[in-house]
Amino acid sequence: MRYKVIEILKTFSEKELKQFDAFLLSPFFNESQKLRRFYTALLRYYPDFDPVNMSEEKLSLEVNPNLPYNKSTIKTLFFELANSAEEFLKIINFQSKETASEDYLREELFKRKLFKLIEANTEKVMKDLDCEKEYNFEYFYNRFRALTDMCNSHKINRQKSNQDYISDYNEMFCERAKCLTYLFMNELLIQRNTFLTVKNTFKISEENNFIFKLFEKIDFVGMLDFIISETDNASYSLIFELQLANYKAFSDFENEIHYHEYKKLLIRNIHHLNKEDIHTNFIMLIRYCIMKPGGNKSGFDFRAELFGIYKYILSKNYYYIGVHDFIPIELYRIVLKLSLELKKFNWTLKFIKEFNPKLIPDKRENMYNYSLAEYYFHKKRFDDAMRYFHRIELNHFILRVDLKNLMLMTYYELDLYENAISLIDSYKHFLSNSTMLSDAEKRKCKNFILTVQNMIKYKISAKSASKFSIKKNLSGDMHNKVWAGEKFLMLDDRFIRSA
């Protein structure tokens, strides 16, 4: 049975089940006793709603014991219960957003011309907002909406002939414009940073992207400087100072002073920021370090810097964000790979032990096996690496490229060339069929595949033409370039004439 309401009810806690029961008992929300009996019958199969034990015929018998089974009636009950469940979810979500819900109250008060109540409400909302510490989209939007209603109420209720009216109206209108500007700038910069992060892996065209085209047209440095100079709220100012530091670091990428100033500003003021702002800014520091080449002109070691940032984030639990406390898989992955590249083997084992249980539950086992496969590969215990990567369920593994690369390197190290050639064939098909990977990411994969393929050919036949091709591939961008370079240098030391 695939009914929408079953998927919804599976997510309900015990408390929510009782609340929904009370919701169905209320004549205001539900007048059908049959629907409530149906809900009670359905609850007997919570939380799994196993279709082996649960059937439409059984449910029909429990709801209408004196009537024969009618499929149309049961389908209607499923449909109506789904509608009720969605109404219930709207209400509990509405109740959780106290400030936003006041906006709907004021809308009704305006319709009823209860202007004194509107003024009292906006005063209360503005006081509550003044106590807020998280200056995100909801905060600026709610403040903008409250100020809009204050302006409308002021226009309707106050005499327009005196100077106080003009002064108050001007102050409110300017404050409203500031909120709209803060909202606009903050969200645009966040979206731009998100696109910059994602486009390195996935296919996103800058030429046809509205965000990137907009940033070419607007002087965002000037806009941010203006906002910082105009605001008298230190917390607002800090948000946009960080945005400006971030923008300078990436728009003038070669000047590493901007990066160090950005990091200092963040660490110095971190106790003033909410979780979301901390998370966002650390993501940008990480991205900067990843984008910096190993042999940069300044000589600053950005890989060691990156590892230090990861350790700091993990020690402070700054990866917590959103509705759950799971560590993001992408963060777990890059920390694992970097620590192994830096040969921090003891630290890596402690990391796996502590943080694998903090991954989202249905990904833990696969990631545990992948983590140990990577660990044993870097320890040159290739048989152990192969034992662990064979335990991974490929159909449910999100890091397919990483796993294929690891498998290919392991087969090469163990001289399992037939396995490697078979994997190369399936890997090429995977890349051809993938619509999610960016062209740059595909090139890195293809260069790596071709390099390993030519090294296998060379080890089997020792053809100089193959070695020339390998050297040419190594000059381009590719995955696991350090490993491939090491294997290339070892080619003359050992020839294998057959697979």
Side-chain angles (χ1 to χ4, degrees):
M1 271 185 286
R2 296 182 64 84
Y3 286 105
K4 180 166 62 175
V5 71
I6 291 176
E7 297 306 308
I8 295 173
L9 292 176
K10 280 180 179 180
T11 69
F12 278 18
S13 65
E14 296 284 349
K15 181 182 177 181
E16 287 170 335
L17 290 173
K18 291 177 182 176
Q19 289 174 330
F20 187 45
D21 187 55
F23 175 89
L24 292 174
L25 271 173
S26 168
F28 185 83
F29 297 111
N30 170 50
E31 296 179 348
S32 170
Q33 291 300 312
K34 186 190 291 186
L35 191 63
R36 189 168 178 277
R37 289 200 305 273
F38 180 66
Y39 173 63
T40 303
L42 204 55
L43 274 192
R44 293 191 174 91
Y45 303 97
Y46 173 86
D48 299 322
F49 298 97
D50 185 359
V52 175
N53 299 316
M54 182 180 71
S55 68
E56 292 179 359
E57 289 82 357
K58 283 184 182 179
L59 291 168
S60 177
L61 187 63
E62 291 184 54
V63 176
N64 300 305
N66 300 320
L67 296 176
Y69 165 67
N70 184 305
K71 186 173 181 64
S72 177
T73 300
I74 289 296
K75 285 184 71 173
T76 299
L77 286 170
F78 269 116
F79 177 76
E80 289 177 354
L81 191 62
N83 285 344
S84 292
E86 288 179 340
E87 285 300 312
F88 170 72
L89 290 177
K90 288 179 190 176
I91 289 169
I92 62 171
N93 184 270
F94 182 81
Q95 290 174 336
S96 70
K97 295 180 177 177
E98 187 176 341
T99 306
S101 64
E102 297 288 349
D103 187 35
Y104 293 96
L105 171 59
R106 290 195 305 275
E107 189 174 338
E108 286 300 317
L109 295 176
F110 267 111
K111 289 177 184 177
R112 298 161 200 274
K113 296 182 170 50
L114 298 170
F115 300 117
K116 287 186 178 179
L117 295 182
I118 292 167
E119 287 192 18
N121 180 278
T122 52
E123 285 179 17
K124 172 185 174 295
V125 167
M126 292 299 281
K127 282 180 182 177
D128 290 341
L129 286 168
D130 287 339
C131 297
E132 281 282 343
K133 300 298 181 186
E134 296 196 15
Y135 304 114
N136 52 21
F137 175 88
E138 285 77 16
Y139 170 83
F140 288 123
Y141 179 74
N142 289 335
R143 197 172 186 92
F144 170 76
R145 293 294 300 155
L147 284 162
T148 299
D149 287 343
M150 285 175 70
C151 289
N152 289 333
S153 175
H154 193 78
K155 192 190 305 183
I156 293 168
N157 277 318
R158 301 293 172 87
Q159 290 184 0
K160 300 177 177 62
S161 57
N162 60 53
Q163 187 59 40
D164 288 342
Y165 168 84
I166 299 298
S167 177
D168 290 346
Y169 191 70
N170 177 64
E171 185 179 336
M172 282 188 286
F173 223 74
C174 286
E175 186 63 24
R176 179 177 178 270
K178 282 183 181 180
C179 279
L180 186 59
T181 307
Y182 299 155
L183 177 63
F184 166 78
M185 287 293 292
N186 202 37
E187 289 303 309
L188 274 181
L189 288 161
I190 288 170
Q191 285 197 44
R192 175 181 177 272
N193 291 341
T194 301
F195 274 117
L196 287 172
T197 301
V198 172
K199 86 179 187 70
N200 291 326
T201 303
F202 299 104
K203 188 180 288 186
I204 294 176
S205 170
E206 286 193 35
E207 186 179 343
N208 299 318
N209 187 290
F210 176 81
I211 299 290
F212 291 124
K213 289 196 289 185
L214 182 65
F215 271 79
E216 290 177 2
K217 299 291 183 184
I218 297 177
D219 176 14
F220 275 86
V221 171
M223 284 283 287
L224 287 167
D225 276 330
F226 172 72
I227 288 171
I228 293 164
S229 67
E230 285 292 313
T231 182
D232 54 2
N233 183 310
S235 297
Y236 294 179
S237 180
L238 175 58
I239 290 171
F240 292 105
E241 283 173 28
L242 285 165
Q243 291 278 26
L244 180 58
N246 167 26
Y247 190 81
K248 285 180 177 178
F250 284 92
S251 58
D252 188 11
F253 190 70
E254 296 304 314
N255 188 349
E256 293 169 10
I257 291 173
H258 294 314
Y259 166 81
H260 295 294
E261 288 177 348
Y262 179 26
K263 182 185 172 187
K264 284 178 187 175
L265 183 65
L266 174 60
I267 300 298
R268 188 168 64 243
N269 294 284
I270 205 157
H271 56 286
H272 294 304
L273 299 171
N274 61 56
K275 284 183 180 180
E276 188 175 340
D277 286 332
I278 291 170
H279 176 84
T280 300
N281 282 286
F282 270 115
I283 287 293
M284 299 315 296
L285 290 180
I286 287 168
R287 194 169 70 79
Y288 186 96
C289 292
I290 289 173
M291 289 171 65
K292 272 292 174 183
N296 61 84
K297 294 177 183 178
S298 70
F300 186 77
D301 189 347
F302 275 97
R303 292 213 317 154
E305 169 77 359
L306 184 59
F307 185 64
I309 291 173
Y310 289 144
K311 286 174 68 177
Y312 184 78
I313 289 171
L314 295 172
S315 68
K316 301 290 187 181
N317 296 328
Y318 286 150
Y319 56 86
Y320 286 163
I321 190 168
V323 296
H324 59 70
D325 290 338
F326 301 125
I327 183 172
I329 280 183
E330 184 57 26
L331 175 61
Y332 180 94
R333 166 196 174 265
I334 52 183
V335 172
L336 173 77
K337 290 179 79 70
L338 181 62
S339 64
L340 290 171
E341 288 169 12
L342 295 175
K343 303 188 186 305
K344 309 279 187 182
F345 297 122
N346 291 336
W347 187 92
T348 302
L349 280 180
K350 290 177 184 175
F351 168 75
I352 294 169
K353 183 178 179 181
E354 181 178 352
F355 288 96
N356 186 266
K358 296 180 181 181
L359 289 165
I360 190 167
D362 65 346
K363 302 291 190 293
R364 285 174 193 164
E365 187 175 355
N366 268 337
M367 288 302 295
Y368 178 75
N369 291 323
Y370 170 73
S371 301
L372 288 180
E374 283 278 12
Y375 171 79
Y376 284 122
F377 176 84
H378 283 81
K379 290 284 284 182
K380 303 189 184 302
R381 291 169 57 176
F382 304 118
D383 287 314
D384 288 326
M386 188 163 64
R387 181 161 54 89
Y388 275 99
F389 69 58
H390 277 315
R391 294 179 183 179
I392 296 170
E393 293 183 48
L394 277 172
N395 292 337
H396 300 285
F397 194 62
I398 60 170
L399 308 181
R400 288 181 177 86
V401 169
D402 285 352
L403 182 61
K404 289 178 188 296
N405 291 340
L406 177 63
M407 291 171 71
L408 190 53
M409 290 188 293
T410 305
Y411 290 147
Y412 182 91
E413 294 282 5
L414 292 171
D415 299 336
L416 297 173
Y417 299 133
E418 289 183 4
N419 298 57
I421 290 165
S422 175
L423 176 60
I424 285 169
D425 184 60
S426 65
Y427 197 166
K428 286 178 178 178
H429 281 95
F430 166 77
L431 293 174
S432 297
N433 295 330
S434 174
T435 57
M436 294 295 292
L437 295 175
S438 67
D439 291 339
E441 183 69 9
K442 285 184 178 182
R443 277 195 301 273
K444 288 164 73 174
C445 294
K446 287 175 181 177
N447 278 345
F448 174 66
I449 291 170
L450 196 57
T451 300
V452 177
Q453 189 174 32
N454 283 332
M455 287 197 297
I456 291 171
K457 286 180 182 177
Y458 184 84
K459 289 184 81 173
I460 293 171
S461 64
K463 290 180 180 177
S464 58
S466 294
K467 193 171 183 183
F468 175 79
S469 299
I470 300 164
K471 195 169 185 179
K472 186 178 178 182
N473 287 335
L474 282 170
S475 65
D477 198 13
M478 62 186 288
H479 286 298
N480 305 296
K481 193 169 185 174
V482 174
W483 174 85
E486 290 173 355
K487 298 300 121 179
F488 174 75
L489 294 175
M490 295 170 63
L491 283 178
D492 285 331
D493 297 337
R494 181 166 173 240
F495 299 144
I496 295 174
R497 298 295 177 182
S498 65

